[in-house]
Amino acid sequence: MGDAHAAGVTDFLRANMAPVMFGALIVFLLLGYPVAFALAANGLFFALIGIELGLFQENFLQAMPERVYGTMNNDVLLAIPFFTFMGLVLERSGMAEDLLDTISQLFGPVRGGLAFAVVFVGALLAATTGVVAASVISMGLISLPIMLRYGYDRRLAAGVITASGTLAQIIPPSLVLIVLADQLGRPVGEMYEGAMIPGLALAALYAVYVLSVGLVAPNRVPGLPEEALTLRDADGKTRRTSLGVVMLLSFGTAYAFLKLYTNVTAGSDFAVMLMLIGITISLVIAGANKLLRLNLLSHMAERVIFSMVPPLALVFLVLGTIFIGVATPTEGGAMGAAGAVLLAFVRGRMTFQLLKQATESTAKLSAFVLFILLGARVFALTFYGVNGHVWVEHLLVGLPGGTIGFLAIVNVIVFVLAFFLDFFELAFIVVPLLAPAAEKLGIDLIWFGVILAMNMQTSFMTAPFGFALFFLRSVAPRTAYVDKITGKRMEPVTTGQIYWGAVPFIGIQCLMVVLLILFPQMVMHYKGSVKQLDQQEINKQLDSISIPGLGDGGAFPGLGLPPAPGQ
């Protein structure tokens, strides 16, 4: 009886090694074991079982050192510490505080103005820091007390802060996009370019939601009272129109210059050059107005330009050089890190302590990512060795509905897993299993990667392990307090309010995933900037090559190569 039972277990393992291995990994992770070690231990454990059962060739393990070295030698992954360091230096240099204070004053009087400011600054911080924790904590410390002071709905205030903070995962230079590009085997620059429009569209949807709340229930998102507006001229007026005039003049001049004096007329190159020239002109105007005391701009206009232009210039310098092909993402990240240090120095915030903290945090995050990736390499070696990728491919390719059905079911799976796994775990464990099936179905991997990145954002906002919710909980008031400005007694923000506040924004993220599936051109525009090779032109160039002594022949007479079969 015992022998028959053992034989049955052996036969079951032989037939189902891959699903059992994957199921065991999920169990390990749910039990709370560190992800990197759970991956590696699971891979080695099932490798031994596979060798015993004759399903796994032991010489596969000889490839392990080469795979580990290949991971450590991956230049693309160098962009992670560079962009992380850039974000941490900018965050610690007080940039977030200045932006939030200035933009809140700009949008403040409008109904929902503070929420609009949070979305706007969240998008800008995403493009500069790329770190969710920094964005959520900064906005939670600065904007949340002001929103509570002037009567904002607590759920909406908490939701808009956590959602805007997670924009750092989809707007370049996102760390998630770097990892996804590496796992999918696609260029990081193309992934960045494909994700830019969806990321900005998601921020716009957040703003539309706030606007709709303001129209339906204006008491939930009141505007700031006049006495709260401090950026005024000597006569007490704000004169916002001068800012609009400067922006119109700057970008109108930049547009005219590009159209009249350059060959750049469309695409990402045009957008990058337009933004770079436009913000440079606006900075020159504001600087001349301040130095020469021309008094052409209002105090608010000057403050907005001086707060926004330096980080925007850094963003478009880094992303622009990547988009137009001047620099690789790794080189762009290095340039961004150096630029962040320079900006902090110019602002007078660069200290040895700041540099030390940023370096230590960068080293911790980089080591965290590398260890998970090494564990994933061990797991993947065994999983592929027992033909796990074939099992996954057969499971997914045969789904009903073709491409749309595949994308729908995969996104539901990723959404559910995001309740329990963070984006790094999803990227290193799940994405490598999905990519071959997606490629076999003819799905563009950049499009697929951006859809997954948009979906993975929900991992920061879904209970029970939503990190953005934890970050806001750590800085939101837990007990009643007396507001320093109004003297009123303010009630605490409950955990339930934070969790429920995130729900509408999770729905908006899911809506964005659906829109990306239905309208792939939101991502596929990146192909317009990819240089296509003309095969006929290549053949002409080859035909023109003449090497003495090789004679004539075939399709390439100059090279003396034989014709291709069938010619």
Side-chain angles (χ1 to χ4, degrees):
M1 184 70 179
D3 292 341
H5 179 70
V9 171
T10 300
D11 291 340
F12 176 80
L13 285 176
R14 287 181 190 276
N16 300 282
M17 176 66 89
V20 169
M21 184 178 176
F22 188 74
L25 175 63
I26 298 299
V27 171
F28 277 132
L29 294 176
L30 293 178
L31 289 175
Y33 285 99
V35 178
F37 303 117
L39 282 165
N42 203 51
L44 292 174
F45 177 70
F46 279 94
L48 295 176
I49 294 177
I51 291 171
E52 186 66 28
L53 297 177
L55 297 174
F56 184 78
Q57 299 180 30
E58 58 186 18
N59 57 4
F60 273 29
L61 294 177
Q62 296 176 3
M64 187 62 64
E66 185 178 348
R67 290 173 70 88
V68 170
Y69 181 75
T71 301
M72 298 170 65
N73 200 36
N74 189 339
D75 290 341
V76 173
L77 295 178
L78 271 176
I80 292 178
F82 284 140
F83 282 120
T84 303
F85 181 80
M86 180 183 86
L88 290 170
V89 170
L90 288 175
E91 183 262 329
R92 284 169 167 78
S93 67
M95 182 193 70
E97 289 86 341
D98 289 349
L99 282 171
L100 282 167
D101 182 49
T102 305
I103 305 303
S104 295
Q105 292 283 315
L106 181 65
F107 291 124
V110 181
R111 188 182 299 161
L114 286 175
F116 289 134
V118 167
V119 173
F120 183 85
V121 174
L124 191 53
L125 289 177
T128 50
T129 66
V131 181
V132 172
S135 300
V136 173
I137 290 173
S138 297
M139 292 189 290
L141 286 170
I142 299 161
S143 294
L144 185 60
I146 302 174
M147 298 172 89
L148 299 179
R149 177 182 304 150
Y150 294 109
Y152 267 68
D153 180 83
R154 290 161 182 269
R155 291 184 180 183
L156 187 140
V160 77
I161 288 173
T162 52
S164 299
T166 60
L167 288 171
Q169 296 309 298
I170 190 64
I171 294 179
S174 162
L175 301 185
V176 175
L177 297 176
I178 296 174
V179 172
L180 283 174
D182 177 68
Q183 294 299 299
L184 294 171
R186 303 298 296 154
V188 178
E190 291 182 8
M191 189 70 79
Y192 275 178
E193 195 166 349
M196 181 60 81
I197 289 178
L200 296 178
L202 181 63
L205 284 180
Y206 291 163
V208 169
Y209 173 71
V210 172
L211 177 63
S212 63
V213 171
L215 294 174
V216 175
N219 60 317
R220 296 181 64 191
V221 286
L224 287 181
E226 284 296 320
E227 60 269 18
L229 303 177
T230 58
L231 293 180
R232 299 174 180 273
D233 290 343
D235 58 2
K237 296 182 179 180
T238 55
R239 292 189 174 87
R240 289 180 178 80
T241 52
S242 65
L243 178 63
V245 171
V246 172
M247 293 295 104
L248 187 61
L249 178 63
S250 300
F251 288 98
T253 304
Y255 183 85
F257 174 80
L258 289 174
K259 286 292 185 180
L260 295 174
Y261 298 105
T262 70
N263 295 323
V264 183
T265 57
S268 59
D269 295 11
F270 182 81
V272 168
M273 296 300 294
L274 178 68
M275 292 300 296
L276 269 177
I277 297 173
I279 60 179
T280 302
I281 294 173
S282 63
L283 183 61
V284 169
I285 293 174
N289 183 74
K290 188 176 182 66
L291 292 175
L292 302 177
R293 299 181 182 179
L294 301 176
N295 295 323
L296 298 176
L297 300 181
S298 65
H299 179 51
M300 176 175 285
E302 269 192 9
R303 179 74 177 273
V304 169
I305 292 172
F306 286 136
S307 296
M308 285 181 54
V309 166
L312 274 175
L314 183 61
V315 167
F316 284 102
L317 183 65
V318 172
L319 294 182
T321 53
I322 295 173
F323 285 175
I324 64 180
V326 175
T328 65
T330 303
E331 293 164 347
M335 188 165 52
V341 171
L342 181 61
L343 278 182
F345 182 78
V346 170
R347 294 166 62 90
R349 305 285 183 88
M350 176 52 67
T351 63
F352 178 75
Q353 189 64 25
L354 184 152
L355 199 59
K356 179 183 176 184
Q357 290 176 354
T359 305
E360 286 180 351
S361 298
T362 300
K364 288 178 182 177
L365 180 65
S366 302
F368 166 75
V369 173
L370 186 62
F371 266 88
I372 292 180
L373 185 52
L374 292 178
R377 291 284 193 234
V378 178
F379 176 83
L381 181 67
T382 302
F383 195 75
Y384 278 66
V386 298
N387 289 326
H389 60 298
V390 177
W391 168 69
V392 172
E393 192 173 299
H394 287 170
L395 190 68
L396 295 176
V397 171
L399 291 172
T403 299
I404 299 297
F406 169 81
L407 290 173
I409 293 174
V410 161
N411 276 284
V412 169
I413 294 171
V414 171
F415 179 76
V416 173
L417 289 176
F419 280 80
F420 311 102
L421 305 177
D422 70 20
F423 67 93
F424 276 132
E425 294 160 3
L426 289 169
F428 288 135
I429 299 170
V430 179
V431 173
L433 304 180
L434 301 176
E439 195 166 21
K440 189 167 185 178
L441 286 169
I443 296 173
D444 183 271
L445 292 183
I446 296 292
W447 178 42
F448 186 58
V450 173
I451 292 173
L452 291 182
M454 188 68 70
N455 197 336
M456 287 180 192
Q457 275 193 108
T458 60
S459 69
F460 277 92
M461 298 180 63
T462 48
F465 304 122
F467 287 111
L469 307 177
F470 294 159
F471 296 146
L472 184 60
R473 174 70 280 175
S474 68
V475 296
R478 294 175 178 270
T479 58
Y481 65 98
V482 176
D483 186 77
K484 293 183 292 185
I485 303 297
T486 63
K488 295 180 181 178
R489 185 178 186 274
M490 308 297 294
E491 294 300 318
V493 177
T494 66
T495 302
Q497 288 170 339
I498 294 175
Y499 276 58
W500 280 110
V503 172
F505 293 93
I506 295 173
I508 293 173
Q509 290 173 347
C510 294
L511 172 63
M512 194 66 210
V513 171
V514 174
L515 292 176
L516 284 175
I517 294 174
L518 296 178
F519 303 103
Q521 196 55 38
M522 294 177 69
V523 177
M524 302 295 280
H525 68 89
Y526 83 90
K527 287 191 171 183
S529 61
V530 177
K531 302 296 186 290
Q532 302 293 334
L533 297 178
D534 186 342
Q535 188 60 46
Q536 291 184 349
E537 188 64 29
I538 293 174
N539 290 339
K540 287 181 182 178
Q541 293 291 332
L542 288 173
D543 289 343
S544 67
I545 298 174
S546 177
I547 301 178
L550 289 182
D552 298 330
F556 305 105
L559 289 176
L561 298 177
Q567 286 189 344

